[in-house]
Amino acid sequence: MKNFDINKDIQKVYSKYQDSHNSFVDTWQQMILYSARWWLGLALSILPWLLWWKLHNKSYTGDLLRAGFFMAIISLILDSIGLQLGLWIYPYNMFPFITGYFPWDLTLLPVSIMFFIEYKPKWSPLFKGILYGLFAAFIGEPIAMALDLYKPVHWSNFYSFPIYILLFLLSNKIAKLKR
C-alpha cells in the first residue's frame, strides 16, 4: 500500500471519528451538562481537594502531591486505554473532551491515595495497599456504579483490585523518595 492510500484511508477514519465526536458533544450539551450528576461530578472534583488541604500534615505536602500527581497521570492513562478498548464507560462525563471521568482520575483516586499514604505511616505498605485496593475496587467502584457514573462493560472489580494495590505501592514509593 502506498503512503497516499494510507493517508487517504486514515483521513476517512478521522472524518468518521470527528462526526461521532461532534454527535457526542451535542448529546453531552443537551443531556449531561448541568444535570444533577454533572453537578455531583463538579462537587467530587473540588471538595476532596479542599478537605485534603484542610486535613493533611503540611510538612508532607510536597511528598504527598508528588504521589497524588503520579496517581492522577497513571489513572488518566489507564482510564483512556480502558475506555478505548470498550472495557467501561462513563455515562456522565464532566467534559466531552476528556476521555476519563475527571473526578475519579484527577481527584478521588489521587486524594484518597494521599490520605492512605499519610494515615498510619508505620503500617506495612503492602497491608495499606491491600486495604486501598479493597476500598477502591469494592466500595468506590460499586458506589460509582450505583450512582450511574461508571458502567463496566467488559470489566470486573476483581480486575481492578490488584491494579489498585500496585498503584498504591508505586505511589507510596514515590511519596517516600528522598531527593
Side-chain angles (χ1 to χ4, degrees), residues 128-166:
K128 287 172 69 172
I130 291 168
L131 285 177
Y132 184 78
L134 288 168
F135 175 78
F138 300 111
I139 296 173
E141 286 185 10
I143 289 172
M145 286 186 278
L147 293 172
D148 199 27
L149 299 174
Y150 162 68
K151 184 177 188 308
V153 178
H154 301 289
W155 194 255
S156 165
N157 305 42
F158 292 99
Y159 305 152
S160 298
F161 176 63
I163 295 170
Y164 286 129
I165 294 171
L166 178 62

Side-chain angles (χ1 to χ4, degrees), residues 116 119-120 122-135 161 165 168-169 172:
F116 265 79
Y119 183 73
K120 298 288 186 188
K122 302 287 187 210
W123 283 12
S124 158
L126 180 58
F127 178 70
K128 287 172 69 172
I130 291 168
L131 285 177
Y132 184 78
L134 288 168
F135 175 78
F161 176 63
I165 294 171
F168 175 85
L169 293 172
N172 187 62

Side-chain angles (χ1 to χ4, degrees), residues 8 19 41 48 85 92:
K8 188 176 162 188
D19 291 343
L85 292 175
Y92 292 89

Side-chain angles (χ1 to χ4, degrees), residues 63-82:
D63 298 332
L64 293 170
L65 282 175
R66 188 171 54 240
F69 288 151
F70 167 79
M71 183 63 168
I73 291 166
I74 296 300
S75 297
L76 281 170
I77 291 168
L78 293 176
D79 216 355
S80 180
I81 292 168

Side-chain angles (χ1 to χ4, degrees), residues 6 14 22 25 30 42 64 70 73 77-78 87-88 98 101 103 125 139 157 168:
I6 292 171
Y14 275 110
N22 289 340
V25 170
Q30 293 171 16
L42 184 64
L64 293 170
F70 167 79
I73 291 166
I77 291 168
L78 293 176
L87 301 177
W88 55 78
I98 297 175
Y101 188 61
I139 296 173
N157 305 42
F168 175 85

Side-chain angles (χ1 to χ4, degrees), residues 38-53:
W38 186 88
W39 286 107
L40 174 63
L42 184 64
L44 290 174
S45 296
I46 297 169
L47 295 179
W49 281 108
L50 296 175
L51 184 66
W52 176 79
W53 187 255

